[in-house]
């Protein structure tokens, strides 16, 4: 199996039990290399989510969008309302979603999220409504925002409601994904923020601008895997640019319930990995790389087996999203991992 790992000495020490903080500050390392900071807590709780948010020292101000997946209808692995409630209340945030670019089998049609009417039913069934303010950003259409990397896509297509927000918290559930290999910050920013047309545009690496369900999942449109992954990186960069042009954006990833399947899969494969913790950064590339590195460091035991997830990431060339995101300047693959646990 190919190793998907880029690690600093500080990270290696952290994952083997050493919690000493590296003295190098972000952006101040030898040889003019840049290095980002990723914070870690092994506690997964409502209180820990607020604590790691505050560790970033970036205040979410203005109209705050919390981009997260509220989960496919019969998927049990999504981040639960009880876990995220303290953070969302802390920032007075609105959970934002977009409709999907696929439908389920007839027997699971009640779980579809490819139209707003059904999507709202799933959101309510999963307990997010009326507990939180929730917004389906493409419910009233979509808009185009510019991208810096035009290798495949010439712009990004997002829900019009994105314009209603000043700050974004990308609240990611790290896990596998059938097409992307893994799902983390970069996928949440790109596919997650894309409207239905935007999802089709990214998945087809710029070939389909208006969703055609009958054609999208054919080899003609989804045959370029690296093009899809590079399009995700480009779209993630432009969402980051969009909010950095307003009041800002931060990234938090929860490593729990890590199936090889995404929260968008109605009946995911069983979880074989133990829960790990919560990570956060102001750099989405470093954050995704840190999560990948952690999975690579997991030892196979009777209750913890990373093999299937690593195989899926390898098969889908998932790490290439991180590689391309770093190449186009979205963030750094090198980082210091700093525990906030005492």
């Amino acid at each position: 199996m190919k190793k998907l790992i880029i690690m600093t000495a500080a990270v290696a020490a952290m994952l083997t039990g050493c919690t000493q903080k590296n003295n190098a500050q972000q952006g101040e390392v030898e040889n003019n290399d840049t290095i980002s900071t990723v914070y870690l807590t092994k506690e997964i709780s409502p209180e820990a989510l607020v604590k790691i948010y505050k560790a970033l020292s970036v205040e979410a101000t203005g109209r705050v969008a919390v981009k997260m997946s509220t989960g496919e209808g019969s998927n049990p692995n999504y981040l639960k309302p009880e876990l995220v409630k303290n953070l969302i209340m802390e920032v007075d945030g609105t959970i934002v979603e977009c409709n999907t670019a696929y439908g389920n089998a007839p027997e699971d049609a009640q779980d579809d999220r490819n139209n707003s009417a059904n999507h709202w039913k799933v959101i309510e069934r999963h307990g997010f409504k009326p507990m939180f303010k929730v917004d389906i950003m493409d419910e009233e259409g979509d808009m185009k925002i510019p991208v810096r990397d035009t290798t495949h896509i010439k712009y990004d297509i997002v829900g019009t409601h994105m314009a209603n927000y000043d700050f974004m918290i990308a609240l990611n559930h790290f896990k596998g994904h059938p097409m992307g290999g893994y799902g983390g910050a970069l996928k949440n920013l790109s596919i997650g923020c894309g409207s239905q047309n935007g999802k089709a545009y990214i998945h087809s690496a710029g070939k389909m601008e208006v969703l055609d369900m009958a054609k999208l999942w054919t080899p003609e449109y989804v045959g370029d895997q690296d093009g899809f992954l590079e399009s995700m990186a480009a779209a993630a960069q432009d969402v980051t640019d969009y909010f950095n042009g307003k009041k800002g954006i931060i990234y938090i990833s929860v490593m729990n319930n890590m199936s090889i399947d995404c929260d968008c899969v109605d009946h995911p494969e069983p979880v074989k990995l133990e829960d790990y913790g919560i990570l956060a950064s102001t750099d989405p590339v470093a954050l995704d790389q840190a999560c990948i590195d952690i999975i690579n460091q997991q030892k196979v035991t009777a209750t913890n087996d990373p093999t299937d997830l690593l195989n899926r990431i390898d098969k889908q060339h998932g790490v290439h999203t991180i590689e391309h995101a770093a190449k186009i300047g979205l963030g750094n693959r090198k980082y210091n991992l700093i525990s906030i646990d005492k």
Side-chain angles (χ1 to χ4, degrees):
M1 182 190 309
K2 191 166 65 177
K3 278 287 185 181
L4 308 173
I5 190 163
I6 298 284
M7 298 181 66
T8 65
V11 178
M14 177 68 67
L15 295 180
T16 54
C18 175
T19 58
Q20 181 177 1
K21 180 177 178 179
N22 190 294
N23 291 324
Q25 298 299 310
Q26 184 171 345
E28 298 177 357
V29 296
E30 294 181 358
N31 301 321
N32 296 317
D33 286 339
T34 55
I35 188 166
S36 295
T37 298
V38 177
Y39 294 97
L40 164 69
T41 175
K42 297 300 290 291
E43 178 184 345
I44 301 178
S45 70
E47 295 76 19
L49 261 178
V50 174
K51 183 179 178 182
I52 205 163
Y53 155 67
K54 291 184 175 180
L56 293 173
S57 299
V58 178
E59 184 180 2
T61 59
R63 299 165 296 178
V64 179
V66 179
K67 176 61 192 76
M68 61 175 290
S69 173
T70 53
E72 197 72 7
S74 296
N75 189 307
N77 296 328
Y78 60 93
L79 301 180
K80 303 301 189 292
E82 295 75 20
L83 176 62
V84 304
K85 65 179 181 179
N86 287 13
L87 175 62
I88 293 174
M89 291 177 182
E90 174 77 21
V91 302
D92 189 24
T94 299
I95 294 175
V96 297
E97 276 268 49
C98 281
N99 290 317
T100 64
Y102 57 83
N104 288 306
E107 63 270 20
D108 294 315
Q110 75 278 3
D111 295 328
D112 278 348
R113 296 185 297 143
N114 63 355
N115 64 75
S116 295
N118 285 346
H119 199 161
W120 279 118
K121 292 176 183 177
V122 175
I123 289 170
E124 184 169 6
R125 192 160 76 244
H126 282 180
F128 292 96
K129 183 185 178 184
M131 183 181 291
F132 305 109
K133 294 177 288 184
V134 185
D135 183 6
I136 299 176
M137 291 193 291
D138 62 337
E139 187 168 22
E140 296 180 301
D142 52 33
M143 63 182 185
K144 297 174 181 177
I145 57 177
V147 295
R148 281 191 266 165
D149 173 38
T150 58
T151 305
H152 304 284
I153 59 175
K154 307 309 177 188
Y155 37 76
D156 191 15
I157 309 173
V158 300
T160 55
H161 292 186
M162 184 180 284
N164 297 336
Y165 302 98
D166 307 305
F167 191 101
M168 176 171 279
I169 298 176
L171 181 54
N172 323 297
H173 176 211
F174 185 85
K175 68 284 176 187
H177 190 273
M179 297 189 71
Y182 80 96
L186 298 176
K187 177 182 176 293
N188 196 18
L189 293 168
S190 54
I191 294 295
C193 289
S195 67
Q196 287 188 312
N197 292 328
K199 288 177 171 66
Y201 195 46
I202 294 168
H203 271 289
S204 66
K207 297 176 184 177
M208 180 181 289
E209 296 186 38
V210 178
L211 175 63
D212 185 332
M213 295 275 285
K215 295 180 180 179
L216 177 58
W217 306 111
T218 62
E220 177 185 357
Y221 288 98
V222 295
D224 182 0
Q225 177 67 5
D226 279 1
F228 158 53
L229 302 176
E230 291 168 6
S231 297
M232 279 206 294
Q237 184 179 47
D238 83 76
V239 172
T240 294
D241 287 347
Y242 184 84
F243 282 101
N244 278 332
K246 291 189 168 186
K247 291 184 179 293
I249 183 168
I250 57 174
Y251 318 93
I252 301 173
S253 290
V254 182
M255 299 185 73
N256 72 343
N257 298 323
M258 292 179 284
S259 169
I260 65 169
D261 286 326
C262 180
D263 298 345
C264 62
V265 175
D266 208 38
H267 300 286
E269 290 294 316
V271 173
K272 295 183 179 180
L273 277 162
E274 295 174 353
D275 293 350
Y276 188 86
I278 306 172
L279 290 80
S281 183
T282 57
D283 180 343
V285 178
L287 182 59
D288 276 8
Q289 185 68 63
C291 291
I292 293 286
D293 291 344
I294 286 169
I295 298 301
N296 268 289
Q297 289 296 302
Q298 298 303 294
K299 305 298 183 184
V300 177
T301 69
T303 58
N304 191 62
D305 189 350
T307 305
D308 288 349
L309 179 52
L310 289 173
N311 284 340
R312 171 153 286 182
I313 296 170
D314 276 345
K315 179 180 178 181
Q316 299 304 107
H317 201 192
V319 76
H320 186 59
T321 310
I322 298 173
E323 293 170 343
H324 193 72
K327 179 181 177 181
I328 63 178
L330 176 52
N332 308 309
R333 298 183 72 187
K334 295 181 180 179
Y335 58 90
N336 285 329
L337 188 63
I338 299 176
S339 174
I340 64 171
D341 297 333
K342 293 182 179 179

